[in-house]
Amino acid sequence: MVQGVRSTEVEELLKVRNLTKSFGPVTANDGVCLDVRRGEIHCLFGENGAGKSTLSACLYGYYRVDSGEIVFKGKPVELNSPADALRLGIGMVHQHFVLVSNFTVLENIIVGSTDVGIFLNKADARHKVLELCKECDIDIDLDRKVWQLSVGEQQWVEILKALYFGAELLILDEPTAVLTPQQSDQLFRIITGMRGRGLSIIIISHKLREVMQSDRVTILRKGKVVATVDTADSTAEAITALMVGHKITRRVRDTSVLAAGNFLSVQKICAKGDWGEDVLDDISFDIAKHEILGLAGVAGNGQKELFEVLMGVRSACAGRISLDGQPVVAPTAREMLDRGVGFVPDDRFLEGLIPQFGTAENLVLGWQRAPEYRWGQFLDWRKMGLLARRKIEEFKVVTASAELPVERLSGGNAQRVILAREFLHARGLLLANQPTRGLDVAASEFVYEKILEKRAEGFAVLLASEELDDLLRLCDRIAVICKGRIMGIVRPEETSLLDLGMMMAGDARQLERTLQ
Ligand code: ADP
Ligand code: MG
């Protein structure tokens, strides 16, 4: 180490002073100060739109700051590109991976490495990567092609790549939004191992269980730092209250409203997956008016395919569906929409929205031929604009205008646009697949509030979620799915997290308690 290094340089790897970054009229980061120590896991926590992604993008050189100072390893630095940041030792794991899918793991890690030039010695590189794997407790076959990997494994490749390039600070922006609970535990084991080696990690997460595993949390609200706290000295409730500026009331269903009269009836549905494998096996359930049926399960156990069958975009090979007593003969997406089925998909941008279109166009998506939005043979833009402004206000969508492409909205605001559209057109049945995935606590509560309103109006609701606590307080009954089969249907007051967890893992002992 160089002589004369001040002690603070050893302690603090990164110091951010009064960082400000605006996009037009929006100040995404407003005088942010942040210290990240060596060997710490530092969490950034805040509502959707609080400025977390902008801050991390400034720190890895993707955005240039308007003003403020970034000091890394004791020296003020200017970051003009991600390459600048990486050269200094700041790496980023992207939420949407930037890997080459037909390269192997090893090739992806070393591609772009300049110190070895074209005479890249693969054997040396492999040795170095294997060392990194061992140090971080990552178990991966370096010769597999990236397309063969699970999402969780692709994330490890991103991490290894950053470490291979010598990152001392690793930034992860909502890395667990796309992971199952088990994969997220694995990720935390890996970053804990990295901390043990003296590396620093900045992680953005909305999941309190993960936030509480970090060493310190910096809470952002509307672009400003509210506080930095030691997690050991705080609680999940206190941190949440700091984030929203007040206590959050967690909504529960109104038990005085009783389910009445079946609305959706699903009988003995079977379906095949994209590779011809069995994904749904003999699925039966009913949902009544004024009833929310929860669907619990680890992601990938047939939930997605079940929603697709109910939406008419995947055909069932056996079984029957009826809506309000009327059989659905040949379900197509058009028929289901026309019969008043509303659908909130789990992948907002892939299935729910056209990213390049504005809120106004996305609000009539699927209904663009309906007479109320047409003026002769054209879309009635004036009417759509009025509708959009009304819905933006009602659903509190934060957007610069009704025309701004929705890809520029935060996850929570994009979800509000989908809810506004589906609630506008649905009559009777709402299908919501992971509607709060990736949303902060306040945005999730907003979604739940709207779903409970629909229940009060008399809708039948199917709500799939991995957040079991939420299912227990919102649902009238909970169906548990595992490997395409319903393991049981239970009432929240007669079950526990443990029971649900066992059924999710395929334990059918609860079957006798099925209430149908
Ligand atoms: P978070 O990651 O905490 O959800 P972001 O940093 O993504 O928040 O966004 C902070 C604010 O800046 C939001 O109001 C968002 O709409 C706005 N914003 C972010 N990126 C851009 C951009 N490229 N152009 C315009 N506005 C943006
Ligand atoms: Mg973000």
Side-chain angles (χ1 to χ4, degrees), residues 23 26 28 47-54 63 408 410:
F23 299 102
V26 178
E47 296 186 70
N48 299 121
K52 306 174 298 291
S53 292
T54 303
Y63 290 141
R408 304 266 291 274
S410 69

Side-chain angles (χ1 to χ4, degrees), residues 245-263:
H246 54 84
K247 280 192 114 153
I248 288 262
T249 17
R250 304 214 141 209
R251 286 175 183 75
V252 293
R253 71 187 185 287
D254 176 358
T255 45
S256 69
V257 176
L258 292 179
N262 268 346
F263 192 81

Side-chain angles (χ1 to χ4, degrees), residues 10 160 177 429 460 483 511 514:
V10 181
L160 285 169
L429 177 65
K483 297 197 180 122
L511 270 179
T514 297

Side-chain angles (χ1 to χ4, degrees), residues 186-199:
Q186 272 170 337
L187 178 68
F188 266 83
R189 262 206 307 284
I190 290 168
I191 62 176
T192 307
M194 288 164 49
R195 173 180 65 185
R197 293 176 59 217
L199 300 178

Side-chain angles (χ1 to χ4, degrees), residues 147-212:
W147 63 264
Q148 296 174 303
L149 305 180
S150 71
V151 186
E153 290 169 322
Q154 293 188 30
Q155 205 165 51
W156 301 351
V157 178
E158 290 267 359
I159 292 175
L160 285 169
K161 190 174 165 92
L163 297 181
Y164 184 83
F165 278 78
E168 292 173 66
L169 170 67
L170 193 65
I171 305 172
L172 301 115
D173 190 351
E174 294 192 42
T176 63
V178 289
L179 303 184
T180 63
Q182 290 88 332
Q183 288 173 327
S184 117
D185 286 345
Q186 272 170 337
L187 178 68
F188 266 83
R189 262 206 307 284
I190 290 168
I191 62 176
T192 307
M194 288 164 49
R195 173 180 65 185
R197 293 176 59 217
L199 300 178
S200 306
I201 294 105
I202 293 180
I203 183 164
I204 299 176
S205 173
H206 289 303
K207 299 180 186 166
L208 285 165
R209 198 170 66 92
E210 296 173 358
V211 174
M212 298 314 287

Side-chain angles (χ1 to χ4, degrees), residues 25 46 48 62 126 173 178 195 267 376 436 476 483 486 490:
N48 299 121
Y62 184 77
R126 176 185 298 272
D173 190 351
V178 289
R195 173 180 65 185
Q267 284 168 49
T436 60
D476 296 277
K483 297 197 180 122
I486 299 286
V490 291

